[in-house]
mmCIF file of all heavy atoms in Angstrom:
data_model
loop_
_atom_site.group_PDB
_atom_site.id
_atom_site.type_symbol
_atom_site.label_atom_id
_atom_site.label_comp_id
_atom_site.label_asym_id
_atom_site.label_seq_id
_atom_site.Cartn_x
_atom_site.Cartn_y
_atom_site.Cartn_z
ATOM 1 N N LYS E 1 4.807 -13.456 2.899
ATOM 2 C CA LYS E 1 6.221 -13.655 2.581
ATOM 3 C C LYS E 1 6.674 -15.096 2.824
ATOM 4 O O LYS E 1 7.857 -15.393 2.699
ATOM 5 C CB LYS E 1 7.089 -12.711 3.435
ATOM 6 C CG LYS E 1 6.896 -11.230 3.153
ATOM 7 C CD LYS E 1 7.512 -10.838 1.826
ATOM 8 C CE LYS E 1 7.453 -9.334 1.605
ATOM 9 N NZ LYS E 1 8.050 -8.942 0.305
ATOM 10 N N LEU E 2 5.732 -15.967 3.184
ATOM 11 C CA LEU E 2 6.131 -17.329 3.550
ATOM 12 C C LEU E 2 6.723 -18.079 2.365
ATOM 13 O O LEU E 2 7.761 -18.741 2.498
ATOM 14 C CB LEU E 2 4.935 -18.097 4.110
ATOM 15 C CG LEU E 2 5.209 -19.552 4.510
ATOM 16 C CD1 LEU E 2 6.309 -19.631 5.560
ATOM 17 C CD2 LEU E 2 3.940 -20.224 5.027
ATOM 18 N N THR E 3 6.104 -17.999 1.208
ATOM 19 C CA THR E 3 6.635 -18.711 0.039
ATOM 20 C C THR E 3 8.029 -18.209 -0.310
ATOM 21 O O THR E 3 8.934 -19.009 -0.598
ATOM 22 C CB THR E 3 5.687 -18.541 -1.166
ATOM 23 O OG1 THR E 3 4.413 -19.093 -0.838
ATOM 24 C CG2 THR E 3 6.238 -19.260 -2.391
ATOM 25 N N GLY E 4 8.210 -16.886 -0.271
ATOM 26 C CA GLY E 4 9.535 -16.318 -0.546
ATOM 27 C C GLY E 4 10.569 -16.808 0.438
ATOM 28 O O GLY E 4 11.707 -17.120 0.062
ATOM 29 N N TYR E 5 10.198 -16.893 1.716
ATOM 30 C CA TYR E 5 11.121 -17.388 2.735
ATOM 31 C C TYR E 5 11.478 -18.848 2.475
ATOM 32 O O TYR E 5 12.643 -19.243 2.560
ATOM 33 C CB TYR E 5 10.496 -17.242 4.120
ATOM 34 C CG TYR E 5 11.326 -17.843 5.231
ATOM 35 C CD1 TYR E 5 12.397 -17.134 5.763
ATOM 36 C CD2 TYR E 5 11.064 -19.119 5.727
ATOM 37 C CE1 TYR E 5 13.176 -17.684 6.782
ATOM 38 C CE2 TYR E 5 11.837 -19.670 6.731
ATOM 39 C CZ TYR E 5 12.886 -18.949 7.258
ATOM 40 O OH TYR E 5 13.661 -19.494 8.247
ATOM 41 N N ARG E 6 10.477 -19.657 2.152
ATOM 42 C CA ARG E 6 10.743 -21.080 1.893
ATOM 43 C C ARG E 6 11.667 -21.254 0.697
ATOM 44 O O ARG E 6 12.534 -22.151 0.684
ATOM 45 C CB ARG E 6 9.426 -21.823 1.693
ATOM 46 C CG ARG E 6 8.652 -21.993 2.988
ATOM 47 C CD ARG E 6 7.183 -22.322 2.754
ATOM 48 N NE ARG E 6 6.993 -23.591 2.078
ATOM 49 C CZ ARG E 6 5.822 -24.032 1.651
ATOM 50 N NH1 ARG E 6 4.728 -23.289 1.825
ATOM 51 N NH2 ARG E 6 5.732 -25.202 1.036
ATOM 52 N N GLU E 7 11.525 -20.426 -0.308
ATOM 53 C CA GLU E 7 12.443 -20.477 -1.453
ATOM 54 C C GLU E 7 13.868 -20.156 -1.014
ATOM 55 O O GLU E 7 14.826 -20.786 -1.468
ATOM 56 C CB GLU E 7 11.990 -19.507 -2.530
ATOM 57 C CG GLU E 7 10.730 -19.944 -3.269
ATOM 58 C CD GLU E 7 10.321 -18.979 -4.364
ATOM 59 O OE1 GLU E 7 10.997 -17.939 -4.521
ATOM 60 O OE2 GLU E 7 9.320 -19.256 -5.058
ATOM 61 N N LEU E 8 14.023 -19.169 -0.122
ATOM 62 C CA LEU E 8 15.356 -18.819 0.368
ATOM 63 C C LEU E 8 15.965 -19.976 1.160
ATOM 64 O O LEU E 8 17.165 -20.260 1.038
ATOM 65 C CB LEU E 8 15.294 -17.558 1.228
ATOM 66 C CG LEU E 8 14.904 -16.266 0.508
ATOM 67 C CD1 LEU E 8 14.793 -15.109 1.495
ATOM 68 C CD2 LEU E 8 15.895 -15.918 -0.594
ATOM 69 N N VAL E 9 15.156 -20.651 1.979
ATOM 70 C CA VAL E 9 15.649 -21.829 2.706
ATOM 71 C C VAL E 9 16.106 -22.900 1.720
ATOM 72 O O VAL E 9 17.183 -23.494 1.870
ATOM 73 C CB VAL E 9 14.559 -22.388 3.647
ATOM 74 C CG1 VAL E 9 15.015 -23.730 4.244
ATOM 75 C CG2 VAL E 9 14.250 -21.405 4.764
ATOM 76 N N ASN E 10 15.305 -23.132 0.679
ATOM 77 C CA ASN E 10 15.659 -24.148 -0.311
ATOM 78 C C ASN E 10 16.971 -23.829 -1.012
ATOM 79 O O ASN E 10 17.691 -24.730 -1.443
ATOM 80 C CB ASN E 10 14.549 -24.290 -1.347
ATOM 81 C CG ASN E 10 13.279 -24.891 -0.780
ATOM 82 O OD1 ASN E 10 13.249 -25.320 0.373
ATOM 83 N ND2 ASN E 10 12.230 -24.917 -1.564
ATOM 84 N N ARG E 11 17.268 -22.543 -1.141
ATOM 85 C CA ARG E 11 18.508 -22.122 -1.826
ATOM 86 C C ARG E 11 19.668 -21.898 -0.865
ATOM 87 O O ARG E 11 20.741 -21.457 -1.279
ATOM 88 C CB ARG E 11 18.238 -20.823 -2.590
ATOM 89 C CG ARG E 11 17.259 -20.961 -3.745
ATOM 90 C CD ARG E 11 16.890 -19.598 -4.307
ATOM 91 N NE ARG E 11 18.070 -18.822 -4.650
ATOM 92 C CZ ARG E 11 18.086 -17.490 -4.727
ATOM 93 N NH1 ARG E 11 17.000 -16.790 -4.484
ATOM 94 N NH2 ARG E 11 19.207 -16.857 -5.056
ATOM 95 N N SER E 12 19.472 -22.203 0.413
ATOM 96 C CA SER E 12 20.457 -21.796 1.424
ATOM 97 C C SER E 12 21.783 -22.529 1.326
ATOM 98 O O SER E 12 22.742 -22.172 2.011
ATOM 99 C CB SER E 12 19.876 -21.975 2.830
ATOM 100 O OG SER E 12 19.539 -23.333 3.080
ATOM 101 N N THR E 13 21.866 -23.565 0.486
ATOM 102 C CA THR E 13 23.162 -24.216 0.269
ATOM 103 C C THR E 13 24.005 -23.466 -0.765
ATOM 104 O O THR E 13 25.162 -23.805 -0.973
ATOM 105 C CB THR E 13 22.964 -25.672 -0.186
ATOM 106 O OG1 THR E 13 22.168 -25.680 -1.377
ATOM 107 C CG2 THR E 13 22.262 -26.486 0.878
ATOM 108 N N GLU E 14 23.396 -22.486 -1.448
ATOM 109 C CA GLU E 14 24.131 -21.690 -2.435
ATOM 110 C C GLU E 14 25.080 -20.719 -1.725
ATOM 111 O O GLU E 14 24.938 -20.428 -0.543
ATOM 112 C CB GLU E 14 23.171 -20.846 -3.290
ATOM 113 C CG GLU E 14 22.197 -21.615 -4.138
ATOM 114 C CD GLU E 14 21.243 -20.678 -4.877
ATOM 115 O OE1 GLU E 14 21.523 -19.458 -4.932
ATOM 116 O OE2 GLU E 14 20.219 -21.164 -5.378
ATOM 117 N N SER E 15 26.019 -20.182 -2.478
ATOM 118 C CA SER E 15 26.849 -19.067 -1.996
ATOM 119 C C SER E 15 26.915 -18.051 -3.130
ATOM 120 O O SER E 15 27.927 -17.919 -3.812
ATOM 121 C CB SER E 15 28.243 -19.544 -1.606
ATOM 122 O OG SER E 15 28.195 -20.328 -0.437
ATOM 123 N N THR E 16 25.810 -17.339 -3.329
ATOM 124 C CA THR E 16 25.744 -16.380 -4.428
ATOM 125 C C THR E 16 25.414 -14.995 -3.897
ATOM 126 O O THR E 16 24.698 -14.863 -2.895
ATOM 127 C CB THR E 16 24.669 -16.789 -5.456
ATOM 128 O OG1 THR E 16 23.378 -16.751 -4.819
ATOM 129 C CG2 THR E 16 24.928 -18.188 -5.987
ATOM 130 N N PRO E 17 25.891 -13.951 -4.569
ATOM 131 C CA PRO E 17 25.534 -12.587 -4.144
ATOM 132 C C PRO E 17 24.032 -12.335 -4.196
ATOM 133 O O PRO E 17 23.496 -11.607 -3.361
ATOM 134 C CB PRO E 17 26.284 -11.699 -5.159
ATOM 135 C CG PRO E 17 27.377 -12.552 -5.709
ATOM 136 C CD PRO E 17 26.852 -13.952 -5.696
ATOM 137 N N GLU E 18 23.342 -12.952 -5.171
ATOM 138 C CA GLU E 18 21.900 -12.747 -5.285
ATOM 139 C C GLU E 18 21.172 -13.282 -4.048
ATOM 140 O O GLU E 18 20.282 -12.615 -3.506
ATOM 141 C CB GLU E 18 21.363 -13.455 -6.537
ATOM 142 C CG GLU E 18 21.837 -12.876 -7.859
ATOM 143 C CD GLU E 18 23.250 -13.307 -8.233
ATOM 144 O OE1 GLU E 18 23.788 -14.247 -7.619
ATOM 145 O OE2 GLU E 18 23.827 -12.688 -9.142
ATOM 146 N N LEU E 19 21.555 -14.474 -3.603
ATOM 147 C CA LEU E 19 20.924 -15.045 -2.416
ATOM 148 C C LEU E 19 21.212 -14.180 -1.195
ATOM 149 O O LEU E 19 20.314 -13.886 -0.397
ATOM 150 C CB LEU E 19 21.434 -16.465 -2.185
ATOM 151 C CG LEU E 19 20.936 -17.122 -0.892
ATOM 152 C CD1 LEU E 19 19.428 -17.318 -0.923
ATOM 153 C CD2 LEU E 19 21.647 -18.448 -0.644
ATOM 154 N N GLU E 20 22.459 -13.767 -1.044
ATOM 155 C CA GLU E 20 22.829 -12.937 0.102
ATOM 156 C C GLU E 20 21.988 -11.660 0.148
ATOM 157 O O GLU E 20 21.452 -11.279 1.198
ATOM 158 C CB GLU E 20 24.317 -12.579 0.018
ATOM 159 C CG GLU E 20 24.828 -11.797 1.208
ATOM 160 C CD GLU E 20 26.297 -11.419 1.074
ATOM 161 O OE1 GLU E 20 26.950 -11.833 0.093
ATOM 162 O OE2 GLU E 20 26.792 -10.691 1.950
ATOM 163 N N ALA E 21 21.824 -11.007 -0.996
ATOM 164 C CA ALA E 21 21.054 -9.762 -1.049
ATOM 165 C C ALA E 21 19.585 -10.004 -0.703
ATOM 166 O O ALA E 21 18.962 -9.203 0.018
ATOM 167 C CB ALA E 21 21.179 -9.132 -2.434
ATOM 168 N N GLN E 22 19.016 -11.105 -1.188
ATOM 169 C CA GLN E 22 17.600 -11.385 -0.929
ATOM 170 C C GLN E 22 17.350 -11.743 0.534
ATOM 171 O O GLN E 22 16.330 -11.345 1.117
ATOM 172 C CB GLN E 22 17.126 -12.510 -1.853
ATOM 173 C CG GLN E 22 17.024 -12.072 -3.304
ATOM 174 C CD GLN E 22 16.890 -13.244 -4.265
ATOM 175 O OE1 GLN E 22 16.772 -14.397 -3.853
ATOM 176 N NE2 GLN E 22 16.913 -12.970 -5.554
ATOM 177 N N VAL E 23 18.288 -12.480 1.144
ATOM 178 C CA VAL E 23 18.137 -12.821 2.564
ATOM 179 C C VAL E 23 18.286 -11.564 3.421
ATOM 180 O O VAL E 23 17.543 -11.365 4.388
ATOM 181 C CB VAL E 23 19.166 -13.899 2.974
ATOM 182 C CG1 VAL E 23 19.148 -14.117 4.479
ATOM 183 C CG2 VAL E 23 18.871 -15.206 2.264
ATOM 184 N N GLU E 24 19.231 -10.700 3.069
ATOM 185 C CA GLU E 24 19.401 -9.452 3.817
ATOM 186 C C GLU E 24 18.164 -8.561 3.703
ATOM 187 O O GLU E 24 17.788 -7.870 4.659
ATOM 188 C CB GLU E 24 20.642 -8.706 3.331
ATOM 189 C CG GLU E 24 21.964 -9.343 3.699
ATOM 190 C CD GLU E 24 22.321 -9.197 5.174
ATOM 191 O OE1 GLU E 24 21.595 -8.506 5.907
ATOM 192 O OE2 GLU E 24 23.338 -9.792 5.595
ATOM 193 N N GLU E 25 17.520 -8.578 2.549
ATOM 194 C CA GLU E 25 16.293 -7.789 2.388
ATOM 195 C C GLU E 25 15.212 -8.294 3.345
ATOM 196 O O GLU E 25 14.536 -7.495 4.014
ATOM 197 C CB GLU E 25 15.795 -7.872 0.947
ATOM 198 C CG GLU E 25 14.509 -7.083 0.714
ATOM 199 C CD GLU E 25 13.977 -7.226 -0.702
ATOM 200 O OE1 GLU E 25 14.521 -8.022 -1.482
ATOM 201 O OE2 GLU E 25 12.990 -6.530 -1.014
ATOM 202 N N MET E 26 15.041 -9.609 3.431
ATOM 203 C CA MET E 26 14.039 -10.149 4.343
ATOM 204 C C MET E 26 14.433 -9.863 5.787
ATOM 205 O O MET E 26 13.579 -9.572 6.639
ATOM 206 C CB MET E 26 13.868 -11.645 4.104
ATOM 207 C CG MET E 26 12.700 -12.235 4.877
ATOM 208 S SD MET E 26 12.091 -13.799 4.197
ATOM 209 C CE MET E 26 11.129 -13.230 2.796
#
């Protein structure tokens, strides 16, 4: 899951429902 986590970090400046849902899943 490391690559997926790094992608979430890269997107962490966003404020989107999609990002929120993916971070909550992890």
Side-chain angles (χ1 to χ4, degrees):
K1 295 287 186 180
L2 179 58
T3 299
Y5 175 81
R6 288 162 63 187
E7 288 182 358
L8 294 176
V9 172
N10 292 354
R11 294 171 53 204
S12 61
T13 57
E14 297 177 14
S15 290
T16 64
E18 293 79 14
L19 175 64
E20 184 182 356
Q22 289 166 5
V23 172
E24 289 287 354
E25 179 183 6
M26 188 159 282

